Amino acid sequence: MHPSVLAADFARLGDELERIRTADLIHFDVMDNHFVPNLSFGMPIFETITKSSPLPLDVHLMISDPGRWAPGYAEAGAASVTFHAEATDDPAAVARSIRAAGARPALALKPGTAIEPYLEILGEFDMVLVMTVEPGFGGQAFMPETMPKLRSLRERIDAEGLELRLQVDGGIDATTIATAAEHGADTFVAGSSVFGAESAAAQIELLRETASAHTH
């Protein structure tokens, strides 16, 4: 489970991070008001959270020109750095730069982006993120029409024996996580469903158990 800090209460961020210390990683969304129509966090906030976080950070770059910025997040301590296929002409080169800088590279795909052009370079990545909402805003509804792409990716990963995590992000709650797990996802980003719960720890455990019960 990777709770998205975008849904946290930043007026009490330290307490919010403590609420999710039973998660696996913390998902950190970077938006540039260019690749996506919103602006969120940048390097200064990332560095602040890294110093106080009880967990490693899973950085999701929703930005243009990720080849310029991604290695910096790896060097600053990100455990994983995800960038969008749509934002670069050479995703394999960006992945290699992230790995060389010390983080795990991951490739993200918007809901309408086909996976087929990237199947031959899956081995460059440690994770693929299938967006289950349009990137750029929190709190959107899960898009079930992305599930065939998720299933196709899972079949390819299994057929080739790849060591590759398959992540989903967008509208993940106790119902939709079951659907995503059934279609092959094994790593889950959840924002408002975790931070909006009375007990974030209990919600994290519920989501984990639900996903495990519906694993493909």
Side-chain angles (χ1 to χ4, degrees):
M1 284 303 307
H2 296 191
S4 173
V5 74
L6 190 65
D9 179 354
F10 267 72
R12 42 191 297 273
L13 183 56
D15 292 338
E16 292 282 77
L17 294 176
E18 283 300 313
R19 292 179 67 213
I20 59 169
R21 67 162 46 248
T22 58
D24 300 297
L25 279 81
I26 292 172
H27 193 77
F28 184 85
D29 289 308
V30 179
M31 305 180 198
D32 64 358
N33 195 31
H34 185 263
F35 179 72
V36 293
N38 207 344
L39 188 66
S40 64
F41 316 120
M43 184 62 75
I45 301 255
F46 172 79
E47 291 175 335
T48 298
I49 291 179
T50 298
K51 291 174 184 176
S52 59
S53 173
L55 298 169
L57 268 67
D58 165 31
V59 175
H60 179 190
L61 300 178
M62 289 174 269
I63 63 173
S64 300
D65 195 11
R68 177 181 179 186
W69 303 106
Y73 283 91
E75 293 165 357
S80 176
V81 179
T82 303
F83 64 94
H84 273 265
E86 306 87 359
T88 177
D89 293 328
D90 195 349
V94 178
R96 291 169 192 156
S97 71
I98 292 168
R99 197 180 300 281
R104 299 187 296 272
L107 184 70
L109 302 167
K110 291 182 179 182
T113 300
I115 185 57
E116 285 74 18
Y118 308 101
L119 291 176
E120 298 306 317
I121 61 168
L122 289 180
E124 298 282 354
F125 300 94
D126 286 19
M127 184 169 71
V128 174
L129 165 57
V130 173
M131 291 297 298
T132 45
V133 298
E134 291 294 341
F137 299 92
Q140 296 180 67
F142 179 84
M143 298 172 66
E145 58 267 35
T146 59
M147 292 299 96
K149 179 166 59 180
L150 187 63
R151 173 74 75 191
S152 295
L153 260 171
R154 170 51 62 198
E155 291 172 352
R156 181 69 173 240
I157 291 167
D158 291 349
E160 297 191 5
L162 297 173
E163 293 288 332
L164 189 66
R165 306 292 292 182
L166 190 48
Q167 186 180 59
V168 288
D169 178 6
I172 298 299
D173 58 24
T175 299
T176 58
I177 200 170
T179 302
E182 287 171 351
H183 285 82
D186 56 23
T187 307
F188 308 90
V189 177
S192 54
S193 69
V194 170
F195 284 104
E198 183 174 347
S199 170
Q203 182 70 1
I204 289 168
E205 186 58 28
L206 171 63
L207 292 172
R208 277 199 182 115
E209 291 176 354
T210 304
S212 295
H214 292 83
T215 299
H216 79 290

